Amino acid sequence: MSALPAPADKYMARALELALRGEGRTAPNPPVGAVLVRDGLVVGEGFHPAAGEPHAEIFALRAAGELARGAELFVTLEPCCHQGRTGPCCEALIAAGVRRVCYGTVDPNPRVAGQGLARLQAAGVEVIPGPMVEACRRLIAPFAKLLLTGTPYLILKAAMTLDGQLATAGGESQWISCEASRMLGHQLRNRVDAILTGAGTVLADDPQLTVRLSDGRNPARVVLDSRLRTPLTARVFADVPGRRLLMTGDDVAGERLQPYVASGIEVIRIPRLGDHLDLSAAMHELGRRNLMCLLIEGGGALNGALLRAGLVDRLMLFIAPLLFGGGGGIPLFSGNGCRRLDEAIRLRDLQISRSGADLLVEGEVAACSPD
């Protein structure tokens, strides 16, 4: 196996940068970026913009033209080898005369899972694992989870004080985070398939859950409302671009749901577990609708229920240099937590950075212990 070319990090970083342009738009496919290099120069690049559109490799090949012959491909994900809505990328790379493929991570799809790499090698194309493996794996984590479990990848995002509060005892929460953090929040919304919130948050804050970016697009807005308390006049249900979904109990009378259906809202009825909705069943319903990556923007009750149910995959906490100094506010998580320290839910791949005046703490949930 050949050693990696010296600037491999630079080229894979560019492929990752390109892939991010497709985040939130490719479901049920993964976001992928590709860069073709010949004689030390980038001759073609591309990313997968949406399901049914050409893959990243095809855009890179089109941009390179004849310069693809003898070139090296840096791609965030193993090239596909099967016929879907588009043709297999492996065959296109072989036909174009690409001499080497440097890939970020293997495709978890059982229809590929190393077979793309094997096909390239069989045709005489050199195949080598590339750098930035963890970043490439993290990029496709929502795709992998939906593919393997049928449920979306959940990112819990919250703005909180140093003493763990989402709102004051009087219910005020705007704005705990600084302007820079709020802008990052809109950028994050622009990269997911849906935003998930609960009826309590809608009733307390009446959020829009839209993207306020000049080049952004609104993800789906999903409200979990077991007792159908959310009014049709709520801003989350405003008739602006983007899907609107309401998930409520399967025991809610059909006639109560008709006004929502008539307004173009997708109503999904979910079985109950005790007094609450079956959250696992709710996530499977969203997965069936190809909502691959969800951003949780809820209150302590919803946050706690999802975390204890083992459904949260990643946390992004914007921590402001504020203290409320006592009880009565809304905590990040409510409900019964761990009784013993060894039951604590831990984070891995922890990252801490500055976001204006705030700290951004993020990491993957390593293990969850349901109640």
Side-chain angles (χ1 to χ4, degrees):
M1 180 181 294
S2 298
L4 286 173
D9 283 359
K10 179 181 76 172
Y11 298 136
M12 192 62 79
R14 175 57 179 165
L16 280 162
E17 181 184 345
L18 290 163
L20 291 176
R21 298 182 186 178
E23 275 195 310
R25 294 154 172 81
T26 62
N29 294 346
V32 180
V35 175
L36 273 168
V37 179
R38 178 172 166 174
D39 299 328
L41 296 175
V42 174
V43 295
E45 58 182 33
F47 68 96
H48 182 44
E53 294 293 319
H55 291 181
E57 300 94 320
I58 304 305
F59 281 111
L61 288 171
R62 288 177 181 175
E66 286 301 314
L67 292 176
R69 190 160 301 278
E72 302 170 84
L73 175 73
F74 294 82
V75 63
T76 56
L77 181 66
E78 169 189 6
C80 67
C81 59
H82 61 280
Q83 177 71 47
R85 282 190 274 184
T86 59
C89 291
C90 283
E91 302 306 324
L93 293 168
I94 293 165
V98 171
R99 70 177 180 87
R100 178 159 62 181
V101 170
C102 180
Y103 65 94
T105 188
V106 173
D107 194 329
N109 188 340
R111 298 175 67 187
V112 186
Q115 296 179 58
L117 302 178
R119 172 68 186 112
L120 290 168
Q121 288 177 312
V125 178
E126 184 181 359
V127 173
I128 57 173
M132 309 183 76
V133 174
E134 281 305 305
C136 292
R137 182 198 62 80
R138 192 161 55 244
L139 174 70
I140 66 157
F143 165 72
K145 186 180 181 188
L146 182 63
L147 179 75
L148 299 175
T149 72
T151 61
Y153 185 90
L154 268 61
I155 302 171
L156 195 160
K157 189 266 288 184
M160 57 185 282
T161 63
L162 281 168
D163 47 357
Q165 301 293 301
L166 302 179
T168 67
E172 290 186 49
S173 61
Q174 297 181 349
W175 300 100
I176 287 176
S177 59
C178 68
E179 185 176 351
S181 297
R182 297 197 295 276
M183 178 56 68
L184 275 178
H186 282 289
Q187 292 170 359
L188 183 58
R189 287 179 178 181
N190 193 39
R191 291 164 40 203
V192 299
D193 297 292
I195 302 172
L196 178 69
T197 194
T201 296
V202 174
L203 293 172
D205 299 336
D206 196 20
Q208 288 181 288
L209 303 184
T210 53
V211 173
R212 266 86 87 187
L213 298 174
S214 59
D215 58 348
R217 67 91 184 86
N218 292 328
R221 286 105 65 198
V222 184
V223 179
L224 282 170
D225 185 352
S226 63
R227 291 178 285 160
L228 200 59
R229 296 182 294 156
T230 308
L232 263 174
T233 54
R235 295 199 301 168
V236 72
F237 288 150
D239 190 12
V240 297
R243 293 167 65 184
R244 300 165 293 162
L245 296 89
L246 171 66
M247 308 190 84
T248 192
D250 59 2
D251 56 348
V252 173
E255 58 268 19
R256 294 183 61 199
L257 300 174
Q258 284 307 310
Y260 298 87
V261 175
S263 296
I265 297 166
E266 299 177 50
V267 176
I268 307 170
R269 303 173 81 170
I270 303 296
R272 293 182 181 275
L273 281 178
D275 294 332
H276 305 286
L277 296 180
D278 183 336
L279 293 176
S280 178
M283 294 306 106
H284 276 92
E285 287 295 335
L286 295 176
R288 276 193 278 273
R289 288 160 175 80
N290 286 334
L291 295 175
M292 193 162 70
C293 187
L294 268 62
L295 183 63
I296 306 165
E297 295 198 26
L302 179 60
N303 292 346
L306 289 167
L307 188 71
R308 290 189 297 273
L311 297 171
V312 178
D313 297 285
R314 188 169 185 85
L315 264 65
M316 295 186 67
L317 304 179
F318 293 90
I319 304 175
L322 301 174
L323 296 167
F324 288 167
I330 298 176
L332 177 61
F333 301 110
S334 60
N336 294 325
C338 299
R339 288 183 171 272
R340 302 193 314 271
L341 189 58
D342 62 5
E343 296 176 338
I345 297 166
R346 302 183 184 275
L347 299 185
R348 65 188 176 204
D349 189 24
L350 192 67
Q351 300 172 50
I352 301 174
S353 58
R354 290 293 297 267
S355 174
D358 303 334
L359 286 179
L360 172 57
V361 177
E362 53 186 319
E364 294 185 356
V365 177
C368 294
S369 303
D371 291 341

Short mmCIF file of all heavy atoms in Angstrom, two decimals, residues 151-152 154 196 224-227 247-251 268-286 288 302 305-306 309-311:
data_model
loop_
_atom_site.label_atom_id
_atom_site.label_comp_id
_atom_site.label_asym_id
_atom_site.label_seq_id
_atom_site.Cartn_x
_atom_site.Cartn_y
_atom_site.Cartn_z
N THR A 151 -33.96 4.97 12.66
CA THR A 151 -34.30 6.16 13.43
C THR A 151 -33.31 7.28 13.14
O THR A 151 -32.17 7.04 12.76
CB THR A 151 -34.30 5.87 14.95
OG1 THR A 151 -32.98 5.45 15.34
CG2 THR A 151 -35.30 4.78 15.29
N PRO A 152 -33.73 8.54 13.34
CA PRO A 152 -32.85 9.67 13.04
C PRO A 152 -31.74 9.83 14.08
O PRO A 152 -31.82 9.33 15.20
CB PRO A 152 -33.80 10.88 13.08
CG PRO A 152 -35.18 10.32 13.13
CD PRO A 152 -35.09 8.97 13.72
N LEU A 154 -30.05 12.31 16.59
CA LEU A 154 -30.58 13.43 17.36
C LEU A 154 -29.46 14.25 17.98
O LEU A 154 -28.62 13.72 18.71
CB LEU A 154 -31.51 12.93 18.47
CG LEU A 154 -33.00 12.83 18.12
CD1 LEU A 154 -33.23 11.86 16.98
CD2 LEU A 154 -33.83 12.44 19.34
N LEU A 196 -36.95 19.47 16.29
CA LEU A 196 -37.93 18.80 17.15
C LEU A 196 -38.12 19.60 18.42
O LEU A 196 -37.14 19.96 19.10
CB LEU A 196 -37.43 17.39 17.49
CG LEU A 196 -38.30 16.54 18.42
CD1 LEU A 196 -39.59 16.14 17.72
CD2 LEU A 196 -37.53 15.31 18.87
N LEU A 224 -43.89 17.56 19.24
CA LEU A 224 -44.40 16.43 20.02
C LEU A 224 -45.43 16.97 21.00
O LEU A 224 -45.11 17.80 21.86
CB LEU A 224 -43.26 15.75 20.79
CG LEU A 224 -42.34 14.82 20.00
CD1 LEU A 224 -41.14 14.44 20.85
CD2 LEU A 224 -43.08 13.56 19.57
N ASP A 225 -46.67 16.51 20.87
CA ASP A 225 -47.76 17.07 21.66
C ASP A 225 -48.74 15.94 22.00
O ASP A 225 -49.67 15.66 21.25
CB ASP A 225 -48.46 18.17 20.86
CG ASP A 225 -49.54 18.89 21.66
OD1 ASP A 225 -49.85 18.45 22.77
OD2 ASP A 225 -50.06 19.89 21.13
N SER A 226 -48.52 15.30 23.12
CA SER A 226 -49.31 14.11 23.45
C SER A 226 -50.78 14.41 23.67
O SER A 226 -51.64 13.58 23.41
CB SER A 226 -48.73 13.43 24.69
OG SER A 226 -48.81 14.27 25.82
N ARG A 227 -51.09 15.63 24.16
CA ARG A 227 -52.48 15.96 24.50
C ARG A 227 -53.10 16.98 23.56
O ARG A 227 -54.17 17.51 23.83
CB ARG A 227 -52.54 16.49 25.94
CG ARG A 227 -52.26 15.40 26.98
CD ARG A 227 -52.27 15.97 28.38
NE ARG A 227 -51.06 16.74 28.67
CZ ARG A 227 -50.97 17.64 29.65
NH1 ARG A 227 -52.02 17.91 30.39
NH2 ARG A 227 -49.83 18.28 29.85
N MET A 247 -46.95 15.38 16.08
CA MET A 247 -47.01 14.02 16.58
C MET A 247 -47.80 14.03 17.88
O MET A 247 -47.43 14.73 18.85
CB MET A 247 -45.59 13.48 16.82
CG MET A 247 -44.68 13.63 15.63
SD MET A 247 -43.10 12.74 15.77
CE MET A 247 -43.61 11.11 15.22
N THR A 248 -48.90 13.29 17.90
CA THR A 248 -49.76 13.27 19.06
C THR A 248 -50.20 11.85 19.37
O THR A 248 -49.87 10.90 18.65
CB THR A 248 -50.97 14.20 18.83
OG1 THR A 248 -51.67 14.40 20.06
CG2 THR A 248 -51.92 13.65 17.77
N GLY A 249 -50.95 11.69 20.47
CA GLY A 249 -51.35 10.36 20.91
C GLY A 249 -52.32 9.69 19.96
O GLY A 249 -53.16 10.35 19.32
N ASP A 250 -52.24 8.37 19.87
CA ASP A 250 -53.17 7.64 18.99
C ASP A 250 -54.58 7.57 19.56
O ASP A 250 -55.49 7.08 18.89
CB ASP A 250 -52.64 6.24 18.68
CG ASP A 250 -52.42 5.39 19.93
OD1 ASP A 250 -52.72 5.86 21.06
OD2 ASP A 250 -51.93 4.26 19.78
N ASP A 251 -54.76 8.08 20.79
CA ASP A 251 -56.09 8.12 21.39
C ASP A 251 -56.76 9.48 21.23
O ASP A 251 -57.88 9.68 21.70
CB ASP A 251 -56.01 7.76 22.87
CG ASP A 251 -55.05 8.65 23.66
OD1 ASP A 251 -54.28 9.39 23.02
OD2 ASP A 251 -55.07 8.59 24.90
N ILE A 268 -49.18 12.74 12.79
CA ILE A 268 -48.72 11.37 13.02
C ILE A 268 -49.20 10.95 14.40
O ILE A 268 -48.88 11.61 15.40
CB ILE A 268 -47.19 11.26 12.94
CG1 ILE A 268 -46.68 11.85 11.62
CG2 ILE A 268 -46.74 9.82 13.09
CD1 ILE A 268 -45.17 12.00 11.57
N ARG A 269 -49.95 9.88 14.46
CA ARG A 269 -50.48 9.40 15.74
C ARG A 269 -49.56 8.33 16.30
O ARG A 269 -49.22 7.37 15.61
CB ARG A 269 -51.90 8.89 15.55
CG ARG A 269 -52.81 9.97 14.97
CD ARG A 269 -54.19 9.45 14.62
NE ARG A 269 -55.04 9.39 15.78
CZ ARG A 269 -56.35 9.15 15.73
NH1 ARG A 269 -56.93 8.96 14.55
NH2 ARG A 269 -57.07 9.10 16.82
N ILE A 270 -49.18 8.51 17.56
CA ILE A 270 -48.17 7.68 18.21
C ILE A 270 -48.78 6.98 19.42
O ILE A 270 -49.53 7.60 20.18
CB ILE A 270 -46.97 8.55 18.66
CG1 ILE A 270 -46.38 9.32 17.49
CG2 ILE A 270 -45.89 7.71 19.35
CD1 ILE A 270 -45.79 8.46 16.41
N PRO A 271 -48.47 5.70 19.63
CA PRO A 271 -48.96 5.02 20.84
C PRO A 271 -48.33 5.62 22.09
O PRO A 271 -47.29 6.27 22.05
CB PRO A 271 -48.50 3.57 20.64
CG PRO A 271 -47.38 3.63 19.66
CD PRO A 271 -47.68 4.80 18.77
N ARG A 272 -48.98 5.38 23.21
CA ARG A 272 -48.51 5.92 24.48
C ARG A 272 -47.76 4.87 25.28
O ARG A 272 -48.00 3.67 25.16
CB ARG A 272 -49.68 6.42 25.31
CG ARG A 272 -50.39 7.63 24.72
CD ARG A 272 -51.51 8.09 25.64
NE ARG A 272 -52.21 9.22 25.08
CZ ARG A 272 -51.81 10.49 25.22
NH1 ARG A 272 -50.71 10.75 25.90
NH2 ARG A 272 -52.51 11.47 24.68
N LEU A 273 -46.86 5.37 26.11
CA LEU A 273 -46.25 4.57 27.17
C LEU A 273 -46.60 5.28 28.46
O LEU A 273 -45.98 6.29 28.82
CB LEU A 273 -44.73 4.48 27.00
CG LEU A 273 -44.20 3.49 25.96
CD1 LEU A 273 -42.68 3.57 25.89
CD2 LEU A 273 -44.62 2.06 26.31
N GLY A 274 -47.60 4.80 29.16
CA GLY A 274 -48.08 5.50 30.34
C GLY A 274 -48.73 6.82 29.95
O GLY A 274 -49.57 6.87 29.06
N ASP A 275 -48.27 7.91 30.59
CA ASP A 275 -48.86 9.22 30.32
C ASP A 275 -48.20 9.94 29.15
O ASP A 275 -48.62 11.05 28.80
CB ASP A 275 -48.74 10.10 31.58
CG ASP A 275 -49.58 9.56 32.74
OD1 ASP A 275 -50.59 8.90 32.47
OD2 ASP A 275 -49.19 9.81 33.89
N HIS A 276 -47.16 9.34 28.56
CA HIS A 276 -46.40 10.03 27.54
C HIS A 276 -46.38 9.25 26.23
O HIS A 276 -46.73 8.06 26.18
CB HIS A 276 -44.97 10.27 28.03
CG HIS A 276 -44.90 10.99 29.34
ND1 HIS A 276 -45.17 12.33 29.46
CD2 HIS A 276 -44.61 10.55 30.60
CE1 HIS A 276 -45.04 12.70 30.72
NE2 HIS A 276 -44.71 11.64 31.43
N LEU A 277 -45.95 9.93 25.18
CA LEU A 277 -45.81 9.26 23.89
C LEU A 277 -44.65 8.29 23.92
O LEU A 277 -43.66 8.50 24.63
CB LEU A 277 -45.58 10.29 22.78
CG LEU A 277 -46.70 11.29 22.50
CD1 LEU A 277 -46.29 12.22 21.37
CD2 LEU A 277 -48.01 10.57 22.15
N ASP A 278 -44.77 7.24 23.15
CA ASP A 278 -43.67 6.28 22.99
C ASP A 278 -42.63 6.95 22.10
O ASP A 278 -42.78 7.02 20.87
CB ASP A 278 -44.21 4.99 22.36
CG ASP A 278 -43.15 3.92 22.21
OD1 ASP A 278 -41.96 4.26 22.15
OD2 ASP A 278 -43.52 2.74 22.11
N LEU A 279 -41.57 7.45 22.71
CA LEU A 279 -40.58 8.23 21.95
C LEU A 279 -39.84 7.39 20.92
O LEU A 279 -39.49 7.89 19.85
CB LEU A 279 -39.60 8.89 22.92
CG LEU A 279 -40.20 9.97 23.83
CD1 LEU A 279 -39.15 10.47 24.82
CD2 LEU A 279 -40.75 11.13 23.01
N SER A 280 -39.60 6.13 21.24
CA SER A 280 -38.94 5.26 20.27
C SER A 280 -39.82 5.08 19.04
O SER A 280 -39.34 5.15 17.90
CB SER A 280 -38.62 3.90 20.90
OG SER A 280 -38.02 3.04 19.95
N ALA A 281 -41.11 4.86 19.24
CA ALA A 281 -42.03 4.74 18.11
C ALA A 281 -42.08 6.03 17.31
O ALA A 281 -42.14 6.02 16.07
CB ALA A 281 -43.43 4.37 18.61
N ALA A 282 -42.03 7.17 18.01
CA ALA A 282 -42.05 8.47 17.32
C ALA A 282 -40.83 8.62 16.43
O ALA A 282 -40.93 9.08 15.28
CB ALA A 282 -42.10 9.60 18.35
N MET A 283 -39.66 8.21 16.93
CA MET A 283 -38.44 8.33 16.12
C MET A 283 -38.47 7.41 14.90
O MET A 283 -38.00 7.77 13.82
CB MET A 283 -37.21 8.04 16.98
CG MET A 283 -36.97 9.06 18.08
SD MET A 283 -36.90 10.78 17.50
CE MET A 283 -38.49 11.41 18.09
N HIS A 284 -39.04 6.23 15.05
CA HIS A 284 -39.17 5.33 13.90
C HIS A 284 -40.09 5.93 12.84
O HIS A 284 -39.84 5.78 11.63
CB HIS A 284 -39.67 3.96 14.33
CG HIS A 284 -38.58 3.05 14.83
ND1 HIS A 284 -38.23 2.97 16.16
CD2 HIS A 284 -37.75 2.20 14.17
CE1 HIS A 284 -37.24 2.10 16.29
NE2 HIS A 284 -36.93 1.63 15.11
N GLU A 285 -41.14 6.61 13.28
CA GLU A 285 -42.04 7.25 12.31
C GLU A 285 -41.32 8.37 11.55
O GLU A 285 -41.50 8.52 10.34
CB GLU A 285 -43.26 7.82 13.03
CG GLU A 285 -44.25 6.76 13.50
CD GLU A 285 -44.90 6.02 12.34
OE1 GLU A 285 -44.98 6.58 11.22
OE2 GLU A 285 -45.33 4.87 12.55
N LEU A 286 -40.49 9.12 12.25
CA LEU A 286 -39.73 10.18 11.58
C LEU A 286 -38.69 9.58 10.64
O LEU A 286 -38.44 10.12 9.55
CB LEU A 286 -39.08 11.09 12.61
CG LEU A 286 -40.06 11.89 13.48
CD1 LEU A 286 -39.30 12.70 14.53
CD2 LEU A 286 -40.94 12.80 12.64
N ARG A 288 -38.99 6.81 9.03
CA ARG A 288 -39.70 6.34 7.83
C ARG A 288 -39.97 7.48 6.85
O ARG A 288 -40.19 7.24 5.66
CB ARG A 288 -41.01 5.66 8.23
CG ARG A 288 -40.84 4.20 8.62
CD ARG A 288 -42.19 3.49 8.70
NE ARG A 288 -42.84 3.72 9.96
CZ ARG A 288 -42.64 2.99 11.06
NH1 ARG A 288 -41.78 1.99 11.04
NH2 ARG A 288 -43.30 3.24 12.17
N LEU A 302 -38.67 17.51 27.77
CA LEU A 302 -38.39 16.76 26.54
C LEU A 302 -36.93 16.34 26.49
O LEU A 302 -36.62 15.19 26.12
CB LEU A 302 -38.73 17.62 25.32
CG LEU A 302 -38.47 16.97 23.95
CD1 LEU A 302 -39.29 15.71 23.77
CD2 LEU A 302 -38.76 17.97 22.82
N ALA A 305 -36.45 13.36 28.85
CA ALA A 305 -37.12 12.14 28.38
C ALA A 305 -36.35 11.49 27.22
O ALA A 305 -36.16 10.27 27.19
CB ALA A 305 -38.55 12.46 27.96
N LEU A 306 -35.89 12.31 26.28
CA LEU A 306 -35.15 11.77 25.13
C LEU A 306 -33.80 11.20 25.56
O LEU A 306 -33.38 10.15 25.08
CB LEU A 306 -34.96 12.86 24.08
CG LEU A 306 -36.21 13.28 23.31
CD1 LEU A 306 -35.95 14.56 22.53
CD2 LEU A 306 -36.68 12.18 22.36
N ALA A 309 -34.25 7.95 27.42
CA ALA A 309 -34.70 6.90 26.50
C ALA A 309 -33.58 6.41 25.60
O ALA A 309 -33.78 5.48 24.80
CB ALA A 309 -35.87 7.41 25.65
N GLY A 310 -32.39 7.00 25.72
CA GLY A 310 -31.26 6.56 24.91
C GLY A 310 -31.33 7.00 23.47
O GLY A 310 -30.72 6.36 22.60
N LEU A 311 -32.04 8.09 23.19
CA LEU A 311 -32.26 8.52 21.81
C LEU A 311 -31.37 9.67 21.38
O LEU A 311 -31.28 9.97 20.18
CB LEU A 311 -33.74 8.91 21.62
CG LEU A 311 -34.74 7.77 21.83
CD1 LEU A 311 -36.17 8.31 21.85
CD2 LEU A 311 -34.58 6.72 20.74
#
